[in-house]
Amino acid sequence: MSCSISGEVPEEPVVSTKSGLLFEKRLIERHISDYGKCPVTGEPLTMDDIIPVKTGKIVKPRPVQAASIPGMLGMFQIEWDGLMLSSFALEQQLHTARQELSHALYQHDAACRLWQKSCGGRGDGSCSKKIHPGISGDVIKELQDCNAALSQQRKRRQIPATLAPVDALKRYTQLNSYPLHKTNKPGILSLDIHYPKDVIATGGVDSTAVVFDLPSGQIVSTLSGHSKRVTSVRFAAEGELVVTGSADKTVRVWQNSENGNYDCRHTLKDHNAEVQAVTVHATNKYFVSASLDGTWCFYDLASGLCLAQASYSFVSHFQKQFSDSWRTSGAQVKIWDVKSQANVARFEGHVGAVTISFSENGYFLATAAHDSVKIWDLRKLRNFRTFSLYDEDTATETVEFDHSGNYLALGGSDIRVYQVASVKSDWNSIKILPDLSGTGKATSLKFGPDAKYIAVGSMDRNLRIFGLPEEDQSES
């Protein structure tokens, strides 16, 4: 006997008093609760019409397939095939889900980039444009007062009695070589000297800047924090601060602490591309950074606040008050007035990126590029001398006047020192120093106090000091 619903032998059989049909109790109970009628005849049916049938314990007969070993193997094969088909279907679903997720993530990333680009955001998740307060009238007056004071000093400038003479520079040779940066990422891209203490700061390809005490020959502090190469480094505030620019798009201000180390005081993220140069104003209260994103930023040194940001069409040096050298990404140098933001001079004629250096005498500007080195008269705004030092495959990487304005040094595949003369007189070559790094690329250089030595950085890890040997110093 079998159930009229399932067709199988019931475990708990019941019978309908109206139709006499046999059912499995749990099945007919569910059907009556859902429909209230007989599943076969369709007559109204209640549980009162169902009576149990008493039987002995039923043993279900073995399926025909399980009655033999070949039959059982067939059952197992059918189950295995079903499992494999189910696994294949799941793998297809997983692959489809992964593709959909990857596409969704790509769309999300593209949307974020478009949004950041449209609203001036950087790639660090910040989307809103920063509002800069601008260069106030008080700041402009402070800059103009500083300019007037420096102009008066320049008029009364005399050659220091302690300045190294030309004969001494002719005998300069390498005195020392200091391995300051890592060997796995060699290269010194920038350096600066704090004259009162003879302390040198270098910026390297290894993402660090190093503050080095030359008299003792010891590293004072290693400035770690940038994630890419340090392209520019400058001392500020009597050596208490160091400003660094990096290819990681940031500018950092480091402050000297009680233990002698320099700790990061400000991390400035106003640029969207590599920061190529930083330079500090003569007031020691402000500094400027320039980036490959085509903008410059004017900062308050104490607070780290960006007072103004504009395109390169507004900056090179502000009225010659910003010290040291500067590198521009184009082949043209412009000088602007900070108050009116008007272009007061434009120097053209170079090929490639230009490195510039102002002379402290206030008269000359030296510009160096891949093609040549040009000397400009700032009084008449014209080029009066051009040095073509190397072949067309070798660029002049750096150019620097000494603090007195009497010497000019050029760096490329070697280091060449010239004696500064007047516009009409010849600028004589004093000394040619070899690039002993073996890289053929002197990337940065700086005269020491009174031109007593020349510090040179190349594309190896060593800072090299060229000067007069001790036996020659005693003779002189």
Side-chain angles (χ1 to χ4, degrees):
M1 299 175 67
S2 60
C3 173
S4 299
I5 297 177
S6 65
E8 297 182 356
V9 178
E11 296 179 355
E12 191 176 357
V14 294
V15 66
S16 172
T17 58
K18 291 185 176 181
S19 63
L21 297 174
L22 187 69
F23 300 101
E24 175 71 59
K25 182 179 179 181
R26 59 183 175 81
L27 296 178
I28 192 63
E29 284 180 347
R30 182 177 299 177
H31 189 82
I32 290 174
S33 65
D34 292 341
Y35 302 104
K37 59 183 179 179
C38 177
V40 179
T41 63
E43 296 177 351
L45 193 65
T46 65
M47 289 303 298
D48 295 335
D49 299 324
I50 302 299
I51 57 175
V53 178
K54 295 182 179 181
T55 60
K57 187 176 181 180
I58 300 173
V59 178
K60 292 184 179 181
R62 180 180 299 175
V64 177
Q65 294 88 347
S68 64
I69 292 178
M72 295 177 66
L73 292 174
M75 291 174 59
F76 293 154
Q77 183 65 51
I78 293 172
E79 291 182 3
W80 175 259
D81 292 344
L83 179 62
M84 290 299 101
L85 290 173
S86 176
S87 176
F88 177 73
L90 288 175
E91 288 181 357
Q92 282 188 319
Q93 292 176 1
L94 177 62
H95 180 67
T96 302
R98 283 177 173 173
Q99 286 183 323
E100 292 176 351
L101 177 60
S102 176
H103 183 65
L105 290 174
Y106 176 79
Q107 286 184 320
H108 177 267
D109 182 66
C112 288
R113 290 177 182 274
L114 180 61
W115 170 252
Q116 290 172 354
K117 184 177 180 181
S118 65
C119 62
R122 302 181 305 273
D124 58 358
S126 175
C127 280
S128 59
K129 286 186 177 180
K130 289 187 176 181
I131 299 176
H132 304 296
I135 304 175
S136 66
D138 292 339
V139 174
I140 292 176
K141 184 179 185 305
E142 190 174 8
L143 300 181
Q144 290 176 331
D145 291 343
C146 179
N147 178 56
L150 291 176
S151 297
Q152 289 297 322
Q153 292 177 13
R154 290 189 180 104
K155 292 178 181 179
R156 299 191 298 268
R157 284 176 65 94
Q158 294 182 355
I159 298 177
T162 55
L163 181 69
V166 173
D167 291 341
L169 268 73
K170 289 181 179 180
R171 301 197 301 272
Y172 275 12
T173 185
Q174 178 173 309
L175 302 179
N176 289 295
S177 177
Y178 302 99
L180 303 185
H181 292 269
K182 298 176 183 178
T183 56
N184 60 338
K185 291 183 178 180
I188 295 177
L189 303 178
S190 177
L191 64 84
D192 193 24
I193 301 177
H194 178 50
Y195 289 143
K197 297 181 180 179
D198 243 2
V199 177
I200 302 175
T202 62
V205 179
D206 61 358
S207 307
T208 66
V210 175
V211 179
F212 176 74
D213 182 66
L214 184 60
S216 66
Q218 300 295 319
I219 293 177
V220 176
S221 182
T222 299
L223 284 53
S224 300
H226 287 293
S227 59
K228 294 183 179 180
R229 63 184 180 274
V230 177
T231 56
S232 186
V233 58
R234 288 291 179 268
F235 280 109
E238 302 301 325
E240 291 300 311
L241 299 176
V242 174
V243 183
T244 57
S246 171
D248 65 5
K249 309 176 188 178
T250 67
V251 175
R252 288 176 180 256
V253 179
W254 310 78
Q255 185 170 24
N256 192 9
S257 60
E258 295 180 357
N259 59 7
N261 290 324
Y262 283 79
D263 301 322
C264 185
R265 181 177 176 183
H266 301 296
T267 301
L268 312 173
K269 302 179 179 180
D270 295 282
H271 289 294
N272 298 328
E274 174 181 326
V275 178
Q276 279 207 315
V278 294
T279 190
V280 179
H281 190 266
T283 58
N284 266 313
K285 294 183 179 180
Y286 310 100
F287 72 94
V288 169
S289 64
S291 168
L292 287 180
D293 64 5
T295 67
W296 58 269
C297 291
F298 184 93
Y299 289 99
D300 177 77
L301 187 59
S303 64
L305 176 65
C306 179
L307 301 179
Q309 183 175 16
S311 68
Y312 277 154
S313 58
F314 288 111
V315 73
S316 183
H317 273 263
F318 290 137
Q319 298 178 314
K320 303 188 294 295
Q321 298 176 59
F322 285 94
S323 59
D324 307 320
S325 61
W326 189 276
R327 179 180 294 271
T328 67
S329 59
Q332 192 178 84
V333 177
K334 298 179 182 179
I335 300 179
W336 296 77
D337 181 89
V338 65
K339 181 179 179 180
S340 63
Q341 294 189 353
N343 183 203
V344 296
R346 184 192 303 265
F347 301 130
E348 300 175 335
H350 277 300
V351 176
V354 182
T355 300
I356 70 177
S357 178
F358 283 96
S359 171
E360 279 296 321
N361 63 16
Y363 300 149
F364 301 139
L365 167 67
T367 61
H370 191 89
D371 55 336
S372 63
V373 176
K374 296 180 182 293
I375 311 298
W376 307 82
D377 185 352
L378 296 176
R379 295 164 292 186
K380 297 184 178 180
L381 301 179
R382 67 181 182 88
N383 168 231
F384 66 90
R385 183 157 281 100
T386 299
F387 300 106
S388 297
L389 305 178
Y390 309 113
D391 57 47
E392 60 182 10
D393 297 326
T394 305
T396 303
E397 299 289 337
T398 181
V399 58
E400 191 77 32
F401 284 100
D402 81 304
H403 187 68
S404 69
N406 284 272
Y407 301 117
L408 174 69
L410 314 173
S413 60
D414 53 27
I415 301 96
R416 305 191 181 197
V417 183
Y418 290 83
Q419 183 178 15
V420 174
S422 64
V423 173
K424 296 182 179 180
S425 302
D426 291 334
W427 291 37
N428 298 321
S429 175
I430 300 174
K431 183 70 174 180
I432 297 179
L433 300 166
D435 175 32
L436 299 178
S437 68
T439 62
K441 197 172 184 180
T443 54
S444 55
L445 58 85
K446 190 96 173 171
F447 283 96
D450 293 326
K452 297 294 185 183
Y453 63 85
I454 302 174
V456 178
S458 302
M459 287 308 292
D460 65 347
R461 62 192 291 249
N462 298 313
L463 171 68
R464 288 178 168 81
I465 304 298
F466 293 87
L468 199 62
E470 291 185 3
E471 55 270 19
D472 290 349
Q473 290 181 13
S474 59
E475 292 177 3
S476 61

